[in-house]
Amino acid sequence: MNRYQQLMIEERELILYLPPSYEESDRSYPVAYVHDEGDLFTDCLNYLDHLFAAGQLDEVILVGISSGNRNREYTPWPAKPLVESGPPFSGDGRAYVDEIADVIKAYIDRQYRTLAEPQHTAIIGGSFGGLISMFAGYWRPEIFGRIGMLSASLWYEGVMDYITQQGRLPAGLKVYMSIGQLEGVYKKNAQKNMFPSNIEAHRYWSEQGVSPDRLHLAVDPDGTHDPIFMSKRFPDALQWLLNGEAEEQVSVKGQTQREDTDYHDQHKEHNIQDNKGNQDNQDNQDNQDNQDNQDNQDNQDSQGKTSLFHVPGTLTWSMQSNENGRKYRIFIAEPMGPPPEGGYPVLYSLDANATFGTLAEAIRLQSRTPRGIPSALIVGIGFESDSPIVSDERFYNFTEFAADDELPVRPNGMKWPETGGIEAFLTFIEHQLKPAVEKQYAVNRSKQALFGHSLGGFFTLYTLFTRPHIFQRYIAASPSVWWKNHVLYKRWEEGKVRLQQNEQLRKLRLYVGSEEKPSMVQDAKELYALLKEHTEVLETTLDEIEGEGHVSVLPSLISPLLRFVSA
């Protein structure tokens, strides 16, 4: 097994480091998620290997997470730019943290031997990465129990007010802080508060009763806002956060002395052995030389760029369910041109946070006259989040209630989220959403389709079997037939009678990727084998898309899906 891997999780690039003993053992490991493509550990991998070999540092899986825009993803809320000519900070940090928690971590826990509990899960970053790591601790303490704040940008507008409003740190959280006394000393803007704000945050948390075994601050008397000072503190942070020792420890490097809350003024510097060659250093020189101005530079680099991409002809609603009180984000892609006789075909798509953009662009392009497919109305049903996959909401809204003994053990060993909201969600769609859409648009009520993927595929089949009158066409991609001991087979037995009562023949399209889990492929095939025998009540097809996995199957089926909807 390659210990150094590059991964792509949905649209996020990751760098994965597996510890030396991973391949030879069957043990599980703590995990540290590190911002900025993992620069904090890729700059000192040889040294980490030495510490592991010497028994001075517990082995850990390291996951470096890329970011296309630090000013957007590493900030907690919008704020004015540091420089007058620069764009403002976007403040999309919550969506980024939720993506790490609900998508990236879930994948890593499934694919690798991890200790998934929060006390074994760290999130660490430098500068803005340290800032968003702190907020990960506030926002998702049930996921991230170990927080590494290296030269954290606590000068950011409103952060110190937020800290004091929150009071004590979330229970169980363990926080490592490091800061250089010279950080921000030459700045004229808000960054001049880099050092004082970190000292103030540590003082406040200490006064709130956070004990020294849960909160540690290391101060470099000569430290500036540069990668060399952040990287040399990274092994210290790993040891203090994940080695599980409560008392103050001597630095694992043997060349530095830890500073306590009185800030010992004696400090011995040590060198970091770089695992990269001279060419790597040259390639990264532009980023490395001026890290003390990184936050400001990111702001300037973004000049002239648009922060959000908008698909023309689309709009968004917010609707609250009368059934369960939950809010849903509704995405609309309006058709081009006047409605045909009978009205527009309409597609209701679940998981709109992830799928709507692709569907909207595809129908906009493919329905162009004179030879395009017939135009259709796209209605995406999503959640009040900027994360593409909102796991807790999906498990609740798309499933029947399942007791623990009706579900398998989760790959990460954690408890299943709340389930059982499927009937309330389906009632919301039938009695609130659809009437609202039909009030606004000329809809062909004989050409209404429902599309769902994975758990959304379960929801689609459940709807077909229990309320087939709502839609005439159904698309289930990689459906979670396994849910609740294959309860869909029971729903089918009841649904056959309901389907016979419809004058119009219902149509179902099943899709699955050939590279998905064998059980997923087998479930789809077995369900198709059953349903295709009942052509008198249901027209069913199955397409196994060669070479595609559970997520990559989605773009491959968009075009045939739209042709099916608009035919």
Side-chain angles (χ1 to χ4, degrees):
M1 176 179 289
N2 185 1
R3 289 178 51 216
Y4 310 96
Q5 301 177 22
Q6 289 185 319
L7 307 175
M8 178 70 75
I9 308 302
E10 297 192 356
E11 297 181 1
R12 185 77 62 176
E13 294 181 358
L14 307 179
I15 295 176
L16 179 77
Y17 166 88
L18 297 175
S21 68
Y22 187 90
E23 188 172 2
E24 295 82 28
S25 74
D26 59 356
R27 58 176 286 203
S28 296
Y29 299 81
V31 183
Y33 295 88
V34 186
H35 309 293
D36 288 311
E37 300 179 332
D39 284 349
L40 288 171
F41 67 80
T42 58
D43 285 343
C44 61
L45 274 180
N46 288 338
Y47 188 68
L48 292 174
D49 280 343
H50 160 69
L51 296 175
F52 294 146
Q56 296 175 297
L57 181 63
D58 289 349
E59 290 187 356
V60 58
I61 295 173
L62 301 171
V63 181
I65 305 170
S66 67
S67 174
N69 189 324
R70 300 174 83 249
N71 283 9
R72 184 180 76 244
E73 294 188 315
Y74 292 0
T75 53
W77 46 71
K80 296 178 181 179
L82 286 174
V83 293
E84 188 173 329
S85 60
F89 298 102
S90 303
D92 293 339
R94 182 59 192 260
Y96 170 72
V97 167
D98 287 342
E99 180 187 349
I100 300 173
D102 299 328
V103 180
I104 295 175
K105 183 180 185 297
Y107 177 88
I108 296 298
D109 288 340
R110 286 195 305 268
Q111 299 297 322
Y112 301 93
R113 300 192 308 275
T114 67
L115 296 171
E117 297 81 1
Q119 66 267 29
H120 302 300
T121 304
I123 187 165
I124 304 175
S127 192
F128 264 9
L131 175 68
I132 200 61
S133 293
M134 180 193 78
F135 278 93
Y138 276 118
W139 292 333
R140 301 300 299 271
E142 82 283 6
I143 300 294
F144 306 108
R146 301 294 180 260
I147 309 301
M149 301 167 56
L150 312 184
S151 301
S153 297
L154 302 187
W155 54 263
Y156 191 80
E157 181 180 340
V159 166
M160 294 309 302
D161 289 337
Y162 179 91
I163 289 174
T164 57
Q165 290 168 4
Q166 298 301 308
R168 300 185 65 174
L169 290 169
L173 213 63
K174 192 172 183 179
V175 178
Y176 178 95
M177 306 173 68
S178 66
I179 192 68
Q181 276 190 279
L182 300 182
E183 292 193 49
V185 70
Y186 300 113
K187 298 292 183 182
K188 302 298 184 182
N189 55 31
Q191 290 174 310
K192 66 185 179 181
N193 296 315
M194 178 73 75
F195 177 77
S197 61
N198 275 265
I199 301 304
E200 175 64 14
H202 180 269
R203 181 196 61 78
Y204 177 79
W205 285 327
S206 298
E207 289 178 353
Q208 295 301 306
V210 182
S211 61
D213 61 344
R214 289 183 52 212
L215 177 65
H216 178 77
L217 173 64
V219 176
D220 287 322
D222 299 321
T224 54
H225 198 67
D226 288 297
I228 185 173
F229 291 98
M230 299 181 205
S231 292
K232 80 178 184 179
R233 282 297 177 183
F234 181 75
D236 288 351
L238 283 182
Q239 187 196 44
W240 196 82
L241 292 171
L242 295 174
N243 271 23
E245 297 179 8
E247 66 272 14
E248 290 289 328
Q249 302 176 39
V250 176
S251 171
V252 295
K253 302 179 181 67
Q255 293 176 288
T256 59
Q257 182 178 13
R258 288 191 181 275
E259 294 81 6
D260 59 17
T261 55
D262 293 328
Y263 319 129
H264 295 173
D265 52 358
Q266 295 208 354
H267 179 73
K268 297 180 181 179
E269 293 192 4
H270 60 276
N271 295 322
I272 300 291
Q273 183 178 358
D274 196 340
N275 75 299
K276 297 183 177 180
N278 291 334
Q279 184 61 50
D280 287 337
N281 289 330
Q282 184 63 41
D283 292 341
N284 291 324
Q285 184 173 351
D286 290 342
N287 292 329
Q288 300 290 326
D289 287 345
N290 296 298
Q291 182 65 32
D292 62 312
N293 197 33
Q294 181 65 54
D295 300 326
N296 192 23
Q297 187 63 47
D298 284 344
N299 203 36
Q300 297 183 53
D301 288 346
S302 298
Q303 293 184 40
K305 298 179 181 178
T306 304
S307 60
L308 293 175
F309 173 74
H310 176 71
V311 180
T314 63
L315 51 89
T316 305
W317 300 348
S318 180
M319 295 187 69
Q320 184 170 9
S321 169
N322 295 331
E323 293 294 312
N324 56 29
R326 295 179 181 237
K327 288 186 177 180
Y328 300 98
R329 187 176 295 171
I330 309 302
F331 303 80
I332 305 289
E334 297 179 323
M336 294 188 294
E341 184 178 353
Y344 296 111
V346 57
L347 170 66
Y348 289 83
S349 175
L350 305 175
D351 282 320
N353 301 61
T355 62
F356 176 75
T358 304
L359 287 166
E361 279 287 22
I363 192 66
R364 179 169 171 258
L365 178 64
Q366 295 185 37
S367 62
R368 294 181 65 201
T369 56
R371 297 185 178 180
I373 64 176
S375 189
L377 175 69
I378 308 295
V379 180
I381 311 171
F383 304 108
E384 293 288 286
S385 170
D386 290 332
S387 176
I389 302 296
V390 189
S391 293
D392 286 352
E393 290 291 339
R394 298 178 79 251
F395 274 106
Y396 177 76
N397 288 281
F398 296 171
T399 66
E400 288 191 62
F401 171 76
D404 290 344
D405 60 358
E406 294 177 306
L407 296 174
V409 176
R410 295 186 74 184
N412 60 12
M414 298 183 70
K415 185 178 179 180
W416 289 97
E418 183 183 8
T419 65
I422 195 167
E423 278 294 320
F425 184 50
L426 187 48
T427 297
F428 162 75
I429 293 174
E430 181 179 4
H431 295 297
Q432 282 185 253
L433 177 58
K434 289 181 84 260
V437 170
E438 292 165 7
K439 184 178 180 180
Q440 293 293 325
Y441 300 97
V443 168
N444 187 331
R445 298 188 181 184
S446 66
K447 291 186 177 181
Q448 301 181 97
L450 176 65
F451 166 51
H453 169 255
S454 194
L455 283 176
F458 175 91
F459 180 91
T460 298
L461 293 169
Y462 179 94
T463 302
L464 172 62
F465 298 162
T466 61
R467 303 194 199 183
H469 62 278
I470 301 180
F471 304 97
Q472 293 73 47
R473 302 174 185 186
Y474 295 81
I475 305 100
S478 310
S480 298
V481 181
W482 56 268
W483 183 260
K484 194 177 180 180
N485 297 325
H486 294 75
V487 71
L488 281 174
Y489 283 93
K490 294 181 180 179
R491 301 294 166 257
W492 162 248
E493 291 301 321
E494 302 162 358
K496 284 187 294 186
V497 177
R498 298 187 182 97
L499 284 166
Q500 291 171 354
Q501 297 169 356
N502 292 293
E503 294 182 2
Q504 184 179 347
L505 183 69
R506 278 5 186 200
K507 297 180 180 181
L508 170 65
R509 298 292 180 263
L510 294 170
Y511 295 93
V512 69
S514 65
E515 299 304 311
E516 299 195 48
K517 291 181 179 179
S519 60
M520 183 71 73
V521 178
Q522 186 64 26
D523 276 347
K525 290 181 176 179
E526 290 178 355
L527 180 64
Y528 169 66
L530 171 67
L531 299 181
K532 73 176 182 179
E533 300 299 323
H534 298 273
T535 56
E536 73 283 0
V537 295
L538 184 65
E539 176 188 297
T540 309
T541 64
L542 170 65
D543 287 320
E544 183 177 354
I545 301 180
E546 195 65 32
E548 303 300 342
H550 191 62
V551 175
S552 66
V553 72
L554 285 169
S556 303
L557 60 83
I558 294 297
S559 292
L561 179 156
L562 292 176
R563 290 193 294 270
F564 173 59
V565 168
S566 59

